[in-house]
Amino acid sequence: MADKHEESEDNRSKNTPSEREQRAQLQLATLGPHGELELPSVTIDGYSLELREDGQFIGDTASRTAFRKMLQAWREVFTDMAGKDPLGAKPTQDIGKHRLDELLEKDGPAAAAIRAAQEDYALQLSHVVQRFLKEKTWKGVKRVIVGGGFHQSEVGEGAIERAAELLAADKVAVELRTLHHHADEGGLIGWVHLAPTALLQSYDAILAVDIGGTNARCGIVLTHLHKTPDMSRAEVVRRDKWSHAGDEPKRDELVEGIAAMLEQLLEYAEKKGIRVAPFIGVACPGLICEDGSIAGGTQNLPGNWESTRFHLPRDLAERLPTISGGRTQVCLHNDAVVQGLSELPFTQDVKRWAVLTVGTGLGNASYTNREPTLD
């Protein structure tokens, strides 16, 4: 809620932080732990479940990587049948999703191979959802949001729709939906629900980072808090994306590159007059400890992110300039958790919900909406 005694812009010195800003910076100094699970409006029941079947992580069977393997298998079948490769000369992993969409629209062996892979993937995704629903932290989940970039193609969307049909046929009382936001932005926007409230009231925007096994994304997130208190209109006004997998950076080089991207975003914000809070939310794979260390689950990132000598929030903060004249706080959380939280304003009609993020691996998180408290 806005402070009734807030100074007007006309009376405030440009070089002196307002009372509200000082209170916000004090809150930063006492900011809660990384990987927070109890938020004012939602409880994060669990994330990064690593369930195994037949010696394999079940999530790996419904990842984007898994779909490519399924497509490769069907590609080989159709090549043997026709004596000609239906997908051409490019390796399966190098065929972009837009090209696959084009091939799917055409009637022929390539479309048939893609549809067969879609069916295989849908069966596997349906199985994974049912397996997760048996876990304690997923009991009672009524909606599963599918995130990651896979759904942003005709091929991916069709496979997810087919998985929903299979779940309905098996009489599984759960709804599958896809992320409202662009896949490159959901993992950034979710941070508006994790940032300290005082900061959101005092500034226009926050900086956010989403680190994946293939890409690193950084963005300026406008909260629009005073227009929509549930932050359903939060948006990324500027973002950069680094497809780092092709560059094969070392761990510290990746952190350095992210810091450089953030500095460029700060320069943009200054030019546009966007008041950015001295807070940076960083989402990455793995189990996030309260002290900001990472306990596991970073196998798709370059180097050792679980070393006791490595602390991502501290290492990133040391590379960054002061923001808005205040002490910059870097907060860390799991990438699936943050992407799921971008859906918070749109899940108020269910009590329990979850997210699956289809990427290099398959991220997961589950949530329980909390009853609003009376002031």
Side-chain angles (χ1 to χ4, degrees):
M1 181 180 292
D3 188 341
K4 289 186 287 187
H5 305 294
E6 179 187 3
E7 288 184 279
S8 70
E9 281 293 328
D10 293 335
N11 298 328
R12 186 189 304 159
S13 167
K14 291 183 180 180
N15 297 319
T16 305
S18 69
E19 242 180 78
R20 176 186 282 180
E21 288 170 334
Q22 289 173 345
R23 289 199 301 273
Q25 289 175 20
L26 179 62
Q27 182 171 344
L28 273 178
T30 58
L31 190 63
H34 302 272
E36 184 63 76
L37 299 179
E38 292 287 340
L39 305 179
S41 57
V42 66
T43 296
I44 301 159
D45 298 303
Y47 66 90
S48 287
L49 289 179
E50 295 185 336
L51 307 181
R52 288 180 177 269
E53 273 188 3
D54 301 322
Q56 182 181 19
F57 288 120
I58 190 170
D60 290 344
T61 65
S63 65
R64 186 179 63 232
T65 306
F67 173 78
R68 293 287 174 160
K69 289 180 179 177
M70 295 169 191
L71 181 57
Q72 176 63 28
W74 281 108
R75 178 181 189 173
E76 292 171 4
V77 169
F78 278 84
T79 299
D80 289 343
M81 290 170 55
K84 181 181 177 182
D85 192 328
L87 299 183
K90 268 192 176 183
T92 302
Q93 66 270 21
D94 294 337
I95 303 175
K97 58 187 177 184
H98 298 303
R99 176 56 179 160
L100 290 179
D101 285 349
E102 291 173 358
L103 292 170
L104 185 63
E105 290 179 3
K106 301 175 182 178
D107 191 20
I114 294 168
R115 282 194 293 268
Q118 280 182 304
E119 183 70 16
D120 281 355
Y121 182 85
L123 285 163
Q124 199 56 50
L125 180 59
S126 170
H127 174 69
V128 168
V129 170
Q130 293 186 59
R131 179 64 184 83
F132 272 103
L133 289 171
K134 294 178 181 178
E135 292 298 301
K136 181 180 178 181
T137 55
W138 278 58
K139 288 287 186 183
V141 164
K142 295 299 182 185
R143 180 175 301 154
V144 177
I145 312 296
V146 183
F150 185 61
H151 73 279
Q152 289 184 184
S153 66
E154 293 294 328
V155 172
E157 186 177 7
I160 294 166
E161 288 176 356
R162 177 60 179 149
E165 292 173 358
L166 293 170
L167 287 166
D170 287 338
K171 302 190 185 314
V172 180
V174 68
E175 175 190 18
L176 283 193
R177 286 192 184 179
T178 53
L179 204 68
H180 275 78
H181 302 287
H182 190 281
D184 286 343
E185 299 183 352
L188 305 175
I189 290 173
W191 274 106
V192 301
H193 302 288
L194 286 161
T197 304
L199 281 182
L200 301 183
Q201 292 173 335
S202 304
Y203 296 90
D204 302 325
I206 61 172
L207 291 177
V209 180
D210 183 10
I211 306 171
T214 304
N215 303 298
R217 306 166 183 86
C218 301
I220 302 170
V221 185
L222 280 180
T223 65
H224 295 302
L225 172 63
H226 300 294
K227 294 180 180 178
T228 51
D230 66 353
M231 288 181 285
S232 57
R233 291 178 60 187
E235 62 174 328
V236 178
V237 293
R238 179 83 171 189
R239 61 178 162 88
D240 288 327
K241 180 177 176 179
W242 176 18
S243 297
H244 62 80
D247 297 331
E248 299 184 348
K250 295 179 180 178
R251 181 195 66 196
D252 292 349
E253 291 171 343
L254 179 53
V255 176
E256 187 67 44
I258 290 170
M261 293 164 70
L262 289 170
E263 286 199 55
Q264 291 177 353
L265 290 173
L266 284 169
E267 291 174 7
Y268 174 85
E270 187 175 357
K271 288 178 183 176
K272 296 296 182 180
I274 300 171
R275 299 183 66 240
V276 177
F279 173 93
I280 299 170
V282 179
C284 76
L287 295 168
I288 310 303
C289 301
E290 290 185 3
D291 64 357
S293 60
I294 307 173
T298 61
Q299 60 272 13
N300 292 322
L301 298 178
N304 184 3
W305 292 63
E306 299 157 29
S307 168
T308 57
R309 295 188 296 275
F310 176 69
H311 191 271
L312 177 58
R314 182 194 62 230
D315 289 8
L316 185 58
E318 288 175 350
R319 290 172 162 87
L320 294 171
T322 298
I323 300 174
S324 298
R327 167 178 172 260
T328 301
Q329 173 74 37
V330 179
C331 194
L332 189 63
H333 216 310
N334 174 266
D335 56 347
V337 167
V338 178
Q339 190 167 138
L341 286 173
S342 71
E343 289 291 307
L344 187 57
F346 315 110
T347 60
Q348 297 307 297
D349 57 327
V350 292
K351 178 74 173 176
R352 303 224 52 231
W353 53 286
V355 64
L356 292 174
T357 57
V358 183
T360 309
L362 185 76
N364 64 83
S366 57
Y367 312 81
T368 299
N369 289 332
R370 304 177 71 174
E371 297 294 333
T373 56
L374 297 176
D375 293 334

